[in-house]
Amino acid sequence: MFEKYLNGIRKVREKAADILEVVYLVLLALLVAYDTLCATQIDIVWDTLFAEQPLLHELYRLILMEPQYILFWLVILRFLISRKYDWREWTAGVLLLICARHAAGINGYDNILFMVLMILGARGISFRKIVKVFFAVSLLVTVGVAAGSQAGLIENLVYQQAGRNIRIAFGFGYPTSFAAHIYFLVLCFWYLRAEKLTIADPIISAFFGVFVYVFCEARFTSISLLLLAFVMCCCVLYRVYCRRKGRIYRINPVCSGILALAPVLCAGGINVLSVLYTEKNSLLVFLNQFITNRLALAKKGVDLFGFSAWGRNIRMIGSGGTTTQPTQYFFLDSAYMQFSLQYGLVILALILLMLLFLCCRARAEKQWDFLWILVFVSINGVIEANIFQLIYCPFLLAVFADTKERTKSRRKSDEKN
């Protein structure tokens, strides 16, 4: 009788866990779509949507504009009815939440708390499922906005800057924003294809590499996509070679160890170069010109605001949203420099630890494709600030998610054991 009672409780808990998982995935889809649309040139004042209908506006505000409250209780519920309890996960989760809340309270960047809650909320959910939802929604919105801009339904900003080709934003606030969506969609495509990659798949990355250069002149993204195509091609050919020779597909331990350190190497590299930048060093001046004045702007940020443990609110003036060049341009493009100066060194360290953890776990689980993807995510952070933005990069959600490719029945069996 007692065993039957326990089985009943277990079934209710499992059903509730499944429902909350669906709630998280639906919320993920809604937030990705909403936040992406807010970053476009669609002529809607999002803050006043449903203003004449108080109930709908309140729901809209709670779910989309200020989702931290719903996310917080969703995280609590998902942890409480978890099928498996791990004190290390609980400890890491609580520490992340405390640091995020404290940092956001000091520097005013609520995105820190939002992203940490999204990361914690993904606990135990198949990461492949998360990427599928993100990919479908992001692809639909990106293609829809781009098509709408070409049909004249959405403002299509066209930049004509001295010394550069015509740059088209395709309905987004800036050409590089559109290019970034393409870049991370290709990375998601690679993750979903993984071992099913064929020699034709790298052509997609190469095509978009040429596309974003010709129409957006997003040079760094273009180079990254072409390099991505090359690495994908090498992975496909090496996998075929191993299969024919009867060998196990793997990366050399030394090489995979270096790849796993990519987040730290990329962050350390750009931060050190930014701090050391001076116009007296011809090599650094050349590098600064090559990456469009990013080192000089980062050095200016360091001189003006300096490094701090919890960051500070820094007003940045970029070129997005209008074709008129701002008179006082100041923008920190590098994600790592943004983390260092705006979010603070503590948050920078936590983000790097999460990326390093993902790289090491991918290496340990022999998920070589995922390891390469994380390397390209880390490289992107050197020049662009997309790593910690949900509308671009879903890969940090893998920290607490289930990255192992297992069936639902197998997961339940492992959790019981």
PDB file of all heavy atoms in Angstrom, residues 100-118:
ATOM      1  N   ALA A 100      24.608  37.074  -9.642  1.00  0.00           N
ATOM      2  CA  ALA A 100      23.889  37.784 -10.704  1.00  0.00           C
ATOM      3  C   ALA A 100      23.002  38.873 -10.123  1.00  0.00           C
ATOM      4  O   ALA A 100      22.952  40.000 -10.641  1.00  0.00           O
ATOM      5  CB  ALA A 100      23.055  36.798 -11.521  1.00  0.00           C
ATOM      6  N   ARG A 101      22.299  38.546  -9.047  1.00  0.00           N
ATOM      7  CA  ARG A 101      21.407  39.521  -8.409  1.00  0.00           C
ATOM      8  C   ARG A 101      22.207  40.689  -7.837  1.00  0.00           C
ATOM      9  O   ARG A 101      21.804  41.849  -7.976  1.00  0.00           O
ATOM     10  CB  ARG A 101      20.602  38.846  -7.288  1.00  0.00           C
ATOM     11  CG  ARG A 101      19.631  39.787  -6.583  1.00  0.00           C
ATOM     12  CD  ARG A 101      18.520  40.218  -7.526  1.00  0.00           C
ATOM     13  NE  ARG A 101      17.663  41.247  -6.941  1.00  0.00           N
ATOM     14  CZ  ARG A 101      17.895  42.551  -7.014  1.00  0.00           C
ATOM     15  NH1 ARG A 101      18.975  43.002  -7.651  1.00  0.00           N
ATOM     16  NH2 ARG A 101      17.056  43.395  -6.471  1.00  0.00           N
ATOM     17  N   HIS A 102      23.329  40.389  -7.220  1.00  0.00           N
ATOM     18  CA  HIS A 102      24.156  41.446  -6.619  1.00  0.00           C
ATOM     19  C   HIS A 102      24.745  42.352  -7.708  1.00  0.00           C
ATOM     20  O   HIS A 102      24.717  43.584  -7.581  1.00  0.00           O
ATOM     21  CB  HIS A 102      25.268  40.809  -5.794  1.00  0.00           C
ATOM     22  CG  HIS A 102      26.109  41.799  -5.059  1.00  0.00           C
ATOM     23  ND1 HIS A 102      25.630  42.555  -4.008  1.00  0.00           N
ATOM     24  CD2 HIS A 102      27.409  42.186  -5.230  1.00  0.00           C
ATOM     25  CE1 HIS A 102      26.591  43.347  -3.546  1.00  0.00           C
ATOM     26  NE2 HIS A 102      27.682  43.144  -4.277  1.00  0.00           N
ATOM     27  N   ALA A 103      25.260  41.732  -8.783  1.00  0.00           N
ATOM     28  CA  ALA A 103      25.862  42.508  -9.868  1.00  0.00           C
ATOM     29  C   ALA A 103      24.834  43.398 -10.548  1.00  0.00           C
ATOM     30  O   ALA A 103      25.088  44.584 -10.811  1.00  0.00           O
ATOM     31  CB  ALA A 103      26.508  41.570 -10.888  1.00  0.00           C
ATOM     32  N   ALA A 104      23.660  42.829 -10.834  1.00  0.00           N
ATOM     33  CA  ALA A 104      22.607  43.610 -11.493  1.00  0.00           C
ATOM     34  C   ALA A 104      22.156  44.771 -10.615  1.00  0.00           C
ATOM     35  O   ALA A 104      21.820  45.853 -11.115  1.00  0.00           O
ATOM     36  CB  ALA A 104      21.424  42.711 -11.829  1.00  0.00           C
ATOM     37  N   GLY A 105      22.144  44.564  -9.293  1.00  0.00           N
ATOM     38  CA  GLY A 105      21.765  45.635  -8.382  1.00  0.00           C
ATOM     39  C   GLY A 105      22.757  46.778  -8.375  1.00  0.00           C
ATOM     40  O   GLY A 105      22.389  47.936  -8.162  1.00  0.00           O
ATOM     41  N   ILE A 106      24.033  46.472  -8.633  1.00  0.00           N
ATOM     42  CA  ILE A 106      25.074  47.498  -8.615  1.00  0.00           C
ATOM     43  C   ILE A 106      25.207  48.185  -9.969  1.00  0.00           C
ATOM     44  O   ILE A 106      25.240  49.421 -10.058  1.00  0.00           O
ATOM     45  CB  ILE A 106      26.429  46.887  -8.192  1.00  0.00           C
ATOM     46  CG1 ILE A 106      26.376  46.469  -6.720  1.00  0.00           C
ATOM     47  CG2 ILE A 106      27.570  47.880  -8.420  1.00  0.00           C
ATOM     48  CD1 ILE A 106      27.616  45.771  -6.236  1.00  0.00           C
ATOM     49  N   ASN A 107      25.299  47.388 -11.043  1.00  0.00           N
ATOM     50  CA  ASN A 107      25.549  48.002 -12.353  1.00  0.00           C
ATOM     51  C   ASN A 107      24.286  48.275 -13.171  1.00  0.00           C
ATOM     52  O   ASN A 107      24.345  48.957 -14.195  1.00  0.00           O
ATOM     53  CB  ASN A 107      26.530  47.147 -13.171  1.00  0.00           C
ATOM     54  CG  ASN A 107      26.040  45.717 -13.376  1.00  0.00           C
ATOM     55  OD1 ASN A 107      24.889  45.475 -13.706  1.00  0.00           O
ATOM     56  ND2 ASN A 107      26.938  44.751 -13.183  1.00  0.00           N
ATOM     57  N   GLY A 108      23.153  47.715 -12.741  1.00  0.00           N
ATOM     58  CA  GLY A 108      21.890  48.024 -13.402  1.00  0.00           C
ATOM     59  C   GLY A 108      21.586  47.211 -14.643  1.00  0.00           C
ATOM     60  O   GLY A 108      20.570  47.445 -15.310  1.00  0.00           O
ATOM     61  N   TYR A 109      22.413  46.207 -14.958  1.00  0.00           N
ATOM     62  CA  TYR A 109      22.177  45.387 -16.151  1.00  0.00           C
ATOM     63  C   TYR A 109      21.356  44.152 -15.772  1.00  0.00           C
ATOM     64  O   TYR A 109      21.889  43.121 -15.346  1.00  0.00           O
ATOM     65  CB  TYR A 109      23.498  44.975 -16.795  1.00  0.00           C
ATOM     66  CG  TYR A 109      24.247  46.146 -17.398  1.00  0.00           C
ATOM     67  CD1 TYR A 109      25.396  46.649 -16.784  1.00  0.00           C
ATOM     68  CD2 TYR A 109      23.803  46.765 -18.563  1.00  0.00           C
ATOM     69  CE1 TYR A 109      26.079  47.734 -17.319  1.00  0.00           C
ATOM     70  CE2 TYR A 109      24.477  47.849 -19.107  1.00  0.00           C
ATOM     71  CZ  TYR A 109      25.615  48.324 -18.483  1.00  0.00           C
ATOM     72  OH  TYR A 109      26.283  49.391 -19.022  1.00  0.00           O
ATOM     73  N   ASP A 110      20.034  44.259 -15.961  1.00  0.00           N
ATOM     74  CA  ASP A 110      19.138  43.151 -15.611  1.00  0.00           C
ATOM     75  C   ASP A 110      19.356  41.927 -16.487  1.00  0.00           C
ATOM     76  O   ASP A 110      18.920  40.823 -16.135  1.00  0.00           O
ATOM     77  CB  ASP A 110      17.674  43.606 -15.737  1.00  0.00           C
ATOM     78  CG  ASP A 110      17.300  44.622 -14.662  1.00  0.00           C
ATOM     79  OD1 ASP A 110      17.961  44.625 -13.613  1.00  0.00           O
ATOM     80  OD2 ASP A 110      16.358  45.410 -14.889  1.00  0.00           O
ATOM     81  N   ASN A 111      20.014  42.102 -17.638  1.00  0.00           N
ATOM     82  CA  ASN A 111      20.257  40.978 -18.535  1.00  0.00           C
ATOM     83  C   ASN A 111      21.092  39.893 -17.852  1.00  0.00           C
ATOM     84  O   ASN A 111      20.974  38.713 -18.185  1.00  0.00           O
ATOM     85  CB  ASN A 111      20.988  41.463 -19.797  1.00  0.00           C
ATOM     86  CG  ASN A 111      21.182  40.360 -20.811  1.00  0.00           C
ATOM     87  OD1 ASN A 111      20.227  39.739 -21.248  1.00  0.00           O
ATOM     88  ND2 ASN A 111      22.421  40.091 -21.176  1.00  0.00           N
ATOM     89  N   ILE A 112      21.921  40.281 -16.880  1.00  0.00           N
ATOM     90  CA  ILE A 112      22.738  39.300 -16.157  1.00  0.00           C
ATOM     91  C   ILE A 112      21.832  38.324 -15.413  1.00  0.00           C
ATOM     92  O   ILE A 112      21.970  37.100 -15.531  1.00  0.00           O
ATOM     93  CB  ILE A 112      23.692  39.999 -15.167  1.00  0.00           C
ATOM     94  CG1 ILE A 112      24.609  40.979 -15.902  1.00  0.00           C
ATOM     95  CG2 ILE A 112      24.511  38.970 -14.400  1.00  0.00           C
ATOM     96  CD1 ILE A 112      25.452  41.826 -14.977  1.00  0.00           C
ATOM     97  N   LEU A 113      20.889  38.871 -14.634  1.00  0.00           N
ATOM     98  CA  LEU A 113      19.970  38.040 -13.864  1.00  0.00           C
ATOM     99  C   LEU A 113      19.079  37.223 -14.789  1.00  0.00           C
ATOM    100  O   LEU A 113      18.831  36.032 -14.548  1.00  0.00           O
ATOM    101  CB  LEU A 113      19.112  38.918 -12.949  1.00  0.00           C
ATOM    102  CG  LEU A 113      18.133  38.195 -12.024  1.00  0.00           C
ATOM    103  CD1 LEU A 113      18.861  37.226 -11.112  1.00  0.00           C
ATOM    104  CD2 LEU A 113      17.332  39.202 -11.210  1.00  0.00           C
ATOM    105  N   PHE A 114      18.608  37.838 -15.870  1.00  0.00           N
ATOM    106  CA  PHE A 114      17.742  37.143 -16.827  1.00  0.00           C
ATOM    107  C   PHE A 114      18.444  35.928 -17.419  1.00  0.00           C
ATOM    108  O   PHE A 114      17.892  34.823 -17.458  1.00  0.00           O
ATOM    109  CB  PHE A 114      17.321  38.113 -17.938  1.00  0.00           C
ATOM    110  CG  PHE A 114      16.712  37.439 -19.132  1.00  0.00           C
ATOM    111  CD1 PHE A 114      15.442  36.889 -19.063  1.00  0.00           C
ATOM    112  CD2 PHE A 114      17.408  37.357 -20.331  1.00  0.00           C
ATOM    113  CE1 PHE A 114      14.871  36.258 -20.160  1.00  0.00           C
ATOM    114  CE2 PHE A 114      16.856  36.732 -21.439  1.00  0.00           C
ATOM    115  CZ  PHE A 114      15.588  36.185 -21.353  1.00  0.00           C
ATOM    116  N   MET A 115      19.686  36.112 -17.882  1.00  0.00           N
ATOM    117  CA  MET A 115      20.407  35.004 -18.509  1.00  0.00           C
ATOM    118  C   MET A 115      20.734  33.900 -17.518  1.00  0.00           C
ATOM    119  O   MET A 115      20.650  32.710 -17.851  1.00  0.00           O
ATOM    120  CB  MET A 115      21.686  35.527 -19.170  1.00  0.00           C
ATOM    121  CG  MET A 115      21.467  36.144 -20.541  1.00  0.00           C
ATOM    122  SD  MET A 115      20.720  34.995 -21.745  1.00  0.00           S
ATOM    123  CE  MET A 115      22.011  33.766 -21.887  1.00  0.00           C
ATOM    124  N   VAL A 116      21.088  34.271 -16.282  1.00  0.00           N
ATOM    125  CA  VAL A 116      21.381  33.251 -15.273  1.00  0.00           C
ATOM    126  C   VAL A 116      20.125  32.429 -14.972  1.00  0.00           C
ATOM    127  O   VAL A 116      20.191  31.197 -14.832  1.00  0.00           O
ATOM    128  CB  VAL A 116      21.932  33.908 -13.989  1.00  0.00           C
ATOM    129  CG1 VAL A 116      21.905  32.930 -12.812  1.00  0.00           C
ATOM    130  CG2 VAL A 116      23.352  34.396 -14.227  1.00  0.00           C
ATOM    131  N   LEU A 117      18.976  33.081 -14.886  1.00  0.00           N
ATOM    132  CA  LEU A 117      17.721  32.355 -14.660  1.00  0.00           C
ATOM    133  C   LEU A 117      17.389  31.436 -15.835  1.00  0.00           C
ATOM    134  O   LEU A 117      16.903  30.318 -15.638  1.00  0.00           O
ATOM    135  CB  LEU A 117      16.579  33.350 -14.423  1.00  0.00           C
ATOM    136  CG  LEU A 117      16.590  34.064 -13.069  1.00  0.00           C
ATOM    137  CD1 LEU A 117      15.570  35.204 -13.051  1.00  0.00           C
ATOM    138  CD2 LEU A 117      16.302  33.086 -11.929  1.00  0.00           C
ATOM    139  N   MET A 118      17.651  31.884 -17.058  1.00  0.00           N
ATOM    140  CA  MET A 118      17.437  31.027 -18.229  1.00  0.00           C
ATOM    141  C   MET A 118      18.370  29.821 -18.193  1.00  0.00           C
ATOM    142  O   MET A 118      17.971  28.701 -18.537  1.00  0.00           O
ATOM    143  CB  MET A 118      17.668  31.821 -19.519  1.00  0.00           C
ATOM    144  CG  MET A 118      16.604  32.853 -19.843  1.00  0.00           C
ATOM    145  SD  MET A 118      14.944  32.153 -20.106  1.00  0.00           S
ATOM    146  CE  MET A 118      15.197  31.089 -21.512  1.00  0.00           C
TER     147      MET A 118
END
